[in-house]
Amino acid sequence: MSKHVTHWIGGAAHEGPAQRRGDIYNPASGQVTGTVDLAGPREVDAAVTAAREAFPGWRDTSLSKRVQILFRFRELLNGNKERLAELISAEHGKVLSDALGEVSRGLDVVDFACGIPHLLKGGYSENVSTGVDSYSIMQPLGVVTGVTPFNFPAMVPMWMFPVAIACGNTFVLKPSEKDPSAAVVMAELWAEAGLPDGVFSVVHGDRTAVDALLEHPDVAAVSFVGSTPIARYIYRTAAEHGKRVQALGGAKNHMVVLPDADLDLAADAAVSAGFGSAGERCMAISALAVVDSVADELVERIRERVARLRVGPGDDDRSEMGPLVTREHRDKVASYLESGVREGATLAIDGRMHPVLGGDPDGFWLGPSLLDHVGPEMSCYGDEIFGPVLSMVRVGDYDEAVKLVNGNPYGNGTAIFTNDGGAARRFQNEIEVGMVGINVPIPVPMAYYSFGGWKQSLFGDSHAHGTEGVHFYTRTKAVTARWTDPGQRPEGGVDLGFPTNG
Ligand code: NAD
């Protein structure tokens, strides 16, 4: 039966007719399984208006009551983990265990947001001047919006809205139109948890909906996660419209392998981080910078592991890697195998030959691939491929590896594999990347740290969640107060001088 996904506005599923709709696919079968309504300015305005009207009440809801609702949402999410994971797997293609993993990492942010009373404590200074006290308070911004990518339909929205809502904002989410169902389930769970209507809404859509959000006068801030060209556009457009904005972009994450590394650990890491979720993770390893003396050996160890990888439908327990998200994306990823060879790389592992277990031939399949002898000038190195293709660049030594990584325009994540603590320590200091792993291939920070890259991987100043998330969704106010003792008035009378301390 074909499903139909619509917006969630003001605490209920939206009932109006849709002027435009998009198709939802099951990437493992290649078939359309449903449709999603695509919002225009009218639906966006309805969601923002509901959020604006809900804001004063939510801002003034006590911290204790907000936290009670957050805890209830947490329990409901936990109880619905499998249901969410099944929906994600069916629309995105990732295997169930991976989908469950993303829901768990999103839940971590909800856990973090449950501690919001501690995080919203301002400062207080007694007697900054005689009889005068000063303090700062952190206040919500108002209506804030999140625009999120297809690759983590539950986790990335949860980098944003638990913190934003806990801080007292109201939130309008525009998830990816490719896998829209998880967002609606989360909206239903919020309603069940007792969140007042309008505090969390979901509008589905494409650029039309996003532009309407970016231009809406009642939207105070925009959080975006997606590809670099769109992140740049969002940053510029939102800023032009006077909004606070954080826009996280694409990535080319390097794994540096030094000759003293544990090569089995490095091979396990390259395969897990390169091909998990079919390489469709912003923290996937996509480039291997390997010191030449161990490169041949590493290729062999990766080859052994890839040969054993089971590619198949996400809902089949045997599958370790699913299909890609769309046919067009699969074809684009596969085209880098051809362009890489044309530009001089060696195709050490050809994913087009990899067997697919129980998969529909019309599914968007592409097995894991390894391009060796890749040069920095090749398009398979320069572009973000966002699929199961590892590009190995052979380097002479540590310095050459660091030069390569620092010369790359992206700066999301990176990892070094070595048993030399001194080299690792130097790497963490001099590498120009926002998230660094030492013998850890996917260094996604925990919810109480902040997630974000450098350079072309982030436009704006704040990373997501953790204390930077709290700062992004609040603004501070400094209050200077004088309360005189009963019956006393400060001496001095009228004084036109600029106030100084005394
Ligand atoms: P995308 O940039 O195509 O889309 C992201 C969002 O922007 C979606 O909601 C989409 O509907 C909207 N959008 C698309 N085109 C638009 C336009 N022209 N104007 C306004 N809005 C538009 O990204 P995607 O393909 O959904 O996701 C994959 C990308 O996201 C990869 O580049 C990946 O690296 C990146 N990503 C980055 C991070 C990070 O933390 N830095 C995390 C996850 C994904």
Side-chain angles (χ1 to χ4, degrees):
M1 200 181 64
S2 180
K3 65 182 158 194
H4 173 224
V5 179
T6 188
H7 320 294
W8 182 274
I9 297 175
H14 183 64
E15 284 182 352
Q19 288 189 337
R20 291 189 308 135
R21 284 189 176 166
D23 287 333
I24 304 170
Y25 283 85
N26 178 347
S29 68
Q31 304 304 313
V32 173
T33 54
T35 54
V36 55
D37 290 351
L38 304 177
R42 207 180 43 210
E43 290 85 358
V44 167
D45 186 55
V48 174
T49 301
R52 191 193 63 221
E53 287 170 358
F55 175 62
W58 182 242
R59 177 194 58 200
D60 295 338
T61 299
S62 74
L63 280 169
S64 310
K65 286 194 180 126
R66 278 190 231 160
V67 166
Q68 279 167 17
I69 293 172
L70 273 160
F71 268 108
R72 278 203 292 274
F73 178 65
R74 187 198 176 282
E75 289 316 303
L76 288 165
L77 255 184
N78 211 15
N80 282 274
K81 262 201 298 207
E82 277 76 16
R83 179 178 158 218
L84 271 166
E86 280 165 21
L87 278 173
I88 293 168
S89 175
E91 295 179 359
H92 173 287
K94 64 176 77 175
V95 299
L96 262 178
S97 56
D98 197 32
L100 269 173
E102 82 154 277
V103 179
S104 295
R105 291 303 294 261
L107 257 165
D108 288 350
V109 184
V110 182
D111 290 350
F112 169 74
C114 286
I116 200 70
H118 179 66
L119 297 158
L120 287 184
K121 287 194 294 198
Y124 192 101
S125 302
E126 190 181 39
N127 235 20
V128 293
S129 188
T130 307
V132 176
D133 306 322
S134 207
Y135 49 97
S136 65
I137 47 183
M138 295 166 78
Q139 296 194 317
L141 307 176
V143 180
V144 301
T145 184
V147 177
T148 54
F150 81 84
N151 67 321
F152 285 111
M155 182 185 78
V156 169
M158 281 196 274
W159 285 353
M160 305 171 181
F161 68 69
V163 181
I165 289 174
C167 289
N169 300 282
T170 53
F171 197 94
V172 179
L173 173 66
K174 206 304 284 172
S176 171
E177 64 279 29
K178 296 192 178 96
D179 41 19
S181 292
V184 179
V185 171
M186 293 190 288
E188 289 167 2
L189 298 179
W190 270 125
E192 205 180 327
L195 192 73
D197 293 351
V199 176
F200 181 73
S201 292
V202 179
V203 287
H204 301 288
D206 51 17
R207 180 176 179 164
T208 309
V210 176
D211 282 344
L213 283 166
L214 297 179
E215 290 164 12
H216 202 294
D218 292 334
V219 170
V222 180
S223 297
F224 172 85
V225 175
S227 60
T228 287
I230 311 296
R232 191 183 286 114
Y233 168 76
I234 299 278
Y235 182 71
R236 210 177 33 226
T237 314
E240 263 169 25
H241 286 84
K243 301 176 195 327
R244 186 179 284 192
V245 49
Q246 55 176 185
L248 283 69
K252 194 83 188 178
N253 305 313
H254 294 69
M255 174 169 149
V256 174
V257 183
L258 298 188
D260 65 354
D262 176 333
L263 283 191
D264 279 319
L265 184 70
D268 286 342
V271 172
S272 312
F275 305 129
S277 199
E280 292 171 327
R281 290 182 184 142
C282 59
M283 289 292 275
I285 292 294
S286 50
L288 300 170
V290 185
V291 174
D292 214 10
S293 57
V294 291
D296 286 340
E297 185 55 35
L298 187 62
V299 169
E300 283 322 303
R301 293 190 197 194
I302 290 175
R303 196 193 301 282
E304 286 163 18
R305 286 161 173 78
V306 166
R308 293 195 297 268
L309 270 190
R310 295 186 304 272
V311 177
D315 60 359
D316 184 329
D317 285 348
R318 295 170 303 169
S319 305
E320 294 168 281
M321 189 186 122
L324 276 80
V325 68
T326 60
R327 182 174 290 114
E328 298 72 36
H329 186 56
R330 189 269 317 274
D331 293 347
K332 181 162 178 242
V333 172
S335 76
Y336 284 100
L337 303 179
E338 282 154 31
S339 71
V341 170
R342 219 169 33 241
E343 293 171 31
T346 314
L347 187 53
I349 304 172
D350 186 349
R352 293 169 297 192
M353 307 304 206
H354 202 97
V356 178
L357 292 175
D360 189 310
D362 289 333
F364 311 141
W365 305 107
L366 181 64
S369 298
L370 174 66
L371 283 161
D372 193 3
H373 299 284
V374 168
E377 70 293 348
M378 296 181 192
S379 52
C380 59
Y381 176 78
D383 296 354
E384 180 187 34
I385 298 178
F386 216 59
V389 180
L390 279 171
S391 298
M392 185 182 283
V393 183
R394 294 172 176 236
V395 292
D397 55 17
Y398 167 88
D399 288 325
E400 208 184 306
V402 168
K403 202 168 153 213
L404 180 79
V405 181
N406 285 350
N408 192 281
Y410 297 106
N412 211 41
T414 189
I416 187 167
F417 278 72
T418 180
N419 279 317
D420 179 342
R425 191 164 180 276
R426 210 178 126 189
F427 185 78
Q428 83 179 25
N429 174 255
E430 59 194 13
I431 209 70
E432 290 168 17
V433 173
M435 294 171 281
V436 179
I438 296 172
N439 295 316
V440 171
I442 310 184
V444 175
M446 295 301 288
Y448 37 91
Y449 285 87
S450 298
F451 183 108
W454 288 13
K455 301 194 281 186
Q456 305 275 308
S457 297
L458 176 82
F459 300 85
D461 305 312
S462 309
H463 290 187
H465 62 68
T467 47
E468 290 197 40
V470 175
H471 284 285
F472 183 78
Y473 292 122
T474 53
R475 53 187 167 174
T476 53
K477 192 179 266 178
V479 181
T480 306
R482 170 186 283 135
W483 292 103
T484 52
D485 287 341
Q488 301 271 313
R489 183 172 325 127
E491 288 174 10
V494 172
D495 180 357
L496 300 193
F498 194 65
T500 52
N501 302 325

